[in-house]
Amino acid sequence: MKEQNLPRGLRNNNPLNIVRTADKWVGLKKKHTDYRFCEFTELCFGYRAAFIILKKYIEKHGWKTIEQIVRHWAPENENDTKWYIDTVAKFMDEKKDYEIDFSNMADMLMLVSAMTVVENGPKYNPQNREDLWRPMYYGYKMALGEYNPFEIAYSPEKHHVIYDIEFQEMAMQRMNNADNV
């Protein structure tokens, strides 16, 4: 993304603002300038890390509802958690007790799109921006283990992951669905 004045999460290629820990995420920058949040070399790696954390929430801890997930992602001592939960639920057009299934790509991409908007602002909705949608999609596929993060090909001219057939088909489906709404 080559916009001026990007929100911190997008400047760091960490759209869900993952806090720095001892975890050695794939794609972390070698030198960090942000004291608090992880900085990734590419946006898809920031999304990959977010999806892996969410997978752990859902599958290991059993935090499956929008409310449970957001309550742990954005604790009340740092966030307006009620507002965050309500915003994500409204974005997804679901109730806050809606259960998310990690293997349901539509649920996961909507959840993370909503969280991206809350963390970065409405201008940065992946549902409306190819420069966010594509890395989010690849991040999810890498978190599922369907793509090897070390084999992802990059286009330096465009600064994003190169299309593949599956992604093109999904993009066409999204456009067709948008026309029907």
Side-chain angles (χ1 to χ4, degrees), residues 61-128:
H61 298 296
W63 304 327
K64 297 180 181 188
T65 68
I66 293 170
E67 181 174 21
Q68 291 168 330
I69 291 166
V70 171
R71 195 164 294 290
H72 287 89
W73 190 273
E76 291 177 358
N77 63 321
E78 299 176 4
N79 300 277
D80 182 348
T81 306
K82 182 186 178 330
W83 174 82
Y84 199 134
I85 292 165
D86 292 343
T87 302
V88 169
K90 183 177 180 181
F91 185 97
M92 293 184 67
D93 196 28
E94 298 290 351
K95 294 187 182 332
K96 64 184 182 179
D97 63 349
Y98 179 74
E99 287 196 6
I100 304 290
D101 175 0
F102 188 81
S103 65
N104 182 321
M105 183 166 52
D107 273 1
M108 290 307 300
L109 295 179
M110 281 299 280
L111 173 67
V112 172
S113 290
M115 293 172 76
T116 299
V117 168
V118 171
E119 296 283 344
N120 298 283
K123 179 179 174 184
Y124 301 101
N125 178 353
Q127 299 292 318
N128 302 327

Side-chain angles (χ1 to χ4, degrees), residues 1-42:
M1 297 183 72
K2 292 283 184 181
E3 293 180 37
Q4 292 185 1
N5 303 318
L6 282 172
R8 185 181 196 177
L10 296 177
R11 283 194 315 269
N12 291 342
N13 288 318
N14 179 4
L16 271 58
N17 290 313
I18 298 167
V19 174
R20 287 176 67 177
T21 63
D23 291 324
K24 302 293 182 204
W25 294 109
V26 170
L28 273 180
K29 284 186 175 180
K30 290 187 192 296
K31 292 187 178 185
H32 277 64
T33 56
D34 192 310
Y35 68 94
R36 181 153 187 236
F37 296 105
C38 292
E39 294 174 77
F40 294 92
T41 58
E42 298 285 341

